[in-house]
Amino acid sequence: MSGSLRRGSYNSALLRATAELLPEGMTLDIVTLDDIPLYNEDLLSEAGFPESVQRLRAQIAAADALLIVTPEYNHSIPGVLKNAIDWASRPPEMPFAGKPAAIMGAATGMMGTVRAQQHLRQILTMLNVHVLNKPEVLVAQSREKFDADGQLVDANTRKFVALLLQNLGDWTHVIQRQEAAPTALVR
Ligand SMILES: Cc1cc2nc3c(=O)[nH]c(=O)nc-3n(C[C@H](O)[C@H](O)[C@H](O)COP(=O)(O)O)c2cc1C
């Protein structure tokens, strides 16, 4: 998922670029957040969560691993992303729990979302998501890394994204073995 809703988003372009860099055997399903309402328990009905939230939760639950691409807004993650995570964090099913994940982000400034990614890691720890540590994909000065059509054209960034995906695949196997073991951590 990408934490930006705008059409020309560098973060959504970064997410789309992963489709070209996936290792063999890995597939990408993009989750959209534009129809997720603001978190409000009054929206819960007898049918449960709002339909768009149910879809989001089901997509997270079905994924072997998660890839979250976040912009940085005022040194943190955008409300759009936090809101979606909050909806998906609620019981009863806890779709995030125990999932392997990788994060990355693109910013127009020099810092490449490093502060937002630190906040995102902190949030995901609460949800018992197992976030990959390396490589850190911090796409700084994003205007120079994408062409006018939103294609990721920076060779170095493509190399880091490909490594992140490779490591996420390996990490997913490690976590799956751990979760299947009798000593798996309490959720
Ligand atoms: C409300 C807001 C706050 C922002 N705060 C930061 C920030 O703290 N650090 C940063 O590097 N960029 C910041 N930016 C600039 C974003 O990096 C830039 O708009 C980026 O393109 C957003 O991601 P997107 O292209 O995927 O929409 C901010 C942008 C907005 C709209």
Side-chain angles (χ1 to χ4, degrees), residues 4 6 9-11 71-75 106-109 115:
S4 177
R6 69 185 192 94
S9 161
Y10 293 114
N11 286 278
E72 182 167 290
Y73 279 8
N74 298 312
H75 294 187
T108 47
R115 296 157 295 207

Side-chain angles (χ1 to χ4, degrees), residues 42-65:
D42 295 347
L43 298 180
L44 295 174
S45 67
E46 273 179 23
F49 294 100
E51 207 178 308
S52 60
V53 173
Q54 285 186 32
R55 174 189 45 78
L56 171 69
R57 290 168 62 92
Q59 281 180 289
I60 292 170
D64 292 319

